[in-house]
Amino acid sequence: MTTPPAHMPPGAAPHSPRSPDSGPSGPAAHDPTGPDLVMGLAAGYHAGDVRPFLASLRATGFTGRCVLFTSPTTRDTDRMAEMGADILPFERPPALAHLPYNALRYFLYLDLLRQAPRPYARVLITDVRDVIFQRDPFSFPWADGLNVTLEDARMTIDACPYMTRWVTGHLGEAAWRTLAGRRISCSGTTVGGHAAMTDYLERLTGLLLPFSPTPPPLQTPRLPDGPPAPPIGMAGYDQGVHNHLLHGGHLPKVTVHDNAGPILTLGYKATPPPTDERGDILNDAGVPAVLVHQYDRMPELFRAVRARYV
């Protein structure tokens, strides 16, 4: 029997851990009208920053489209293209010039999906610099609708100083208190069909504005034995909005995966994950993760990944 991850959001469905090598569950597993799509932001990066991401994706045999949005400060875009990326340069529109890149990216993603001549089959929006692929990201039988990931169970939103800052600074203390005790869902890796992803991005961007880069000083909210004072800065506030949508029941059809599933998120893991005889990184269920996120948080793992994709 599958046990739902702790603090399952209203309306969310758990996903049974399965081998990432399993194929789609049937003809309705995805919309066949277009290719699969991976989208990420490479603002200010150079080729070395994105090499593990692109080299590992290509090594999986992925045959869909991989788009990297690049800023005027991104370097080596020709080399990124040689590694398989479709490079889409952008400049900040005046109305969004005050947004941090972490938030701006969702507007770029939404515009691309809205302007697509035909729907993409499945879409992955993902961080780039700290992500590697160990299997084709669409070889996993993703559930219909939206798929999101939880971080390690030992950290909750109210105990995380970053989440505390981002939620209170943008949505207010009352919103933060409604999320207290909830597991953190990482906004850096989300999967869905074209329609589900478009709906998610419309809901997310609708709450990312209005935005104040420097919200007024806040009295740090604390529950009993609450978190330390949050850090200054709102660069990751998109994750606060993402968790508000998820845990508030504002996403109509969503499946929640934890670290026993296809995406292994390492930021709050206490110890490095094990590897198999091939050197693949194993998730909490003991099978190779499809994607590994935040590997740079663990120095030995970071060195191993960089050496593998030098």
Side-chain angles (χ1 to χ4, degrees):
M1 181 178 68
T2 300
T3 301
H7 310 293
M8 181 66 66
H15 196 286
S16 301
R18 291 180 58 183
S19 168
D21 291 323
S22 300
S25 56
H30 64 87
D31 182 352
T33 58
D36 293 321
L37 173 66
V38 174
M39 284 193 287
L41 180 73
Y45 292 167
H46 57 76
D49 291 328
V50 304
R51 181 182 302 280
F53 179 89
L54 292 174
S56 64
L57 180 61
R58 181 165 58 183
T60 68
F62 173 70
T63 59
R65 184 186 186 195
C66 177
V67 170
L68 289 185
F69 289 93
T70 58
S71 68
T73 58
T74 304
R75 295 163 285 164
D76 309 324
T77 55
D78 54 339
R79 292 170 60 192
M80 295 180 189
E82 290 171 359
M83 289 185 278
D86 186 354
I87 303 300
L88 295 187
F90 74 92
E91 293 191 8
R92 293 174 182 266
L96 302 177
H98 63 304
L99 294 186
Y101 279 132
N102 278 8
L104 178 63
R105 58 182 170 171
Y106 299 105
F107 294 86
L108 302 174
Y109 301 160
L110 179 58
D111 284 347
L112 187 148
L113 293 184
R114 283 175 169 171
Q115 295 169 19
R118 59 176 179 162
Y120 288 95
R122 295 163 297 186
V123 181
L124 163 66
I125 58 174
T126 176
D127 288 355
V128 172
R129 183 189 51 78
D130 60 354
V131 166
I132 58 168
F133 299 87
Q134 300 189 131
R135 301 290 185 272
D136 181 327
F138 301 104
S139 65
F140 185 83
W142 299 104
D144 290 339
L146 200 70
N147 293 259
V148 301
T149 60
L150 297 177
E151 298 199 24
D152 192 78
R154 71 192 187 98
M155 181 57 69
T156 57
I157 290 172
D158 57 287
C160 174
Y162 297 97
M163 288 295 297
T164 295
R165 175 60 177 172
W166 296 333
V167 175
T168 57
H170 186 65
L171 298 174
E173 182 178 340
W176 176 80
R177 289 188 177 277
T178 66
L179 299 176
R182 297 283 190 173
R183 293 271 297 276
I184 298 170
S185 175
C186 180
S187 62
T189 51
T190 303
V191 180
H194 188 113
M197 185 62 72
T198 301
D199 176 78
Y200 165 71
L201 291 171
E202 287 173 345
R203 294 171 187 269
L204 184 64
T205 55
L207 290 176
L208 290 173
L209 292 172
F211 170 69
S212 173
T214 53
L218 300 171
Q219 293 293 324
T220 304
R222 284 181 180 272
L223 298 178
D225 300 319
I232 296 173
M234 293 292 291
Y237 83 99
D238 60 291
Q239 185 156 293
V241 176
H242 169 88
N243 278 267
H244 168 76
L245 289 173
L246 172 64
H247 293 298
H250 303 297
L251 300 176
K253 189 175 184 181
V254 60
T255 300
V256 177
H257 304 265
D258 60 15
N259 276 339
I263 298 176
L264 179 60
T265 306
L266 295 173
Y268 276 120
K269 292 282 286 182
T271 58
T275 57
D276 64 13
E277 64 278 0
R278 295 176 48 189
D280 285 341
I281 300 165
L282 305 182
N283 66 13
D284 286 0
V287 298
V290 174
L291 282 75
V292 180
H293 186 204
Q294 299 175 348
Y295 65 86
D296 61 335
R297 309 301 200 270
M298 299 180 174
E300 290 186 10
L301 186 60
F302 174 79
R303 288 192 290 270
V305 167
R306 290 288 167 152
R308 186 171 184 176
Y309 298 105
V310 66

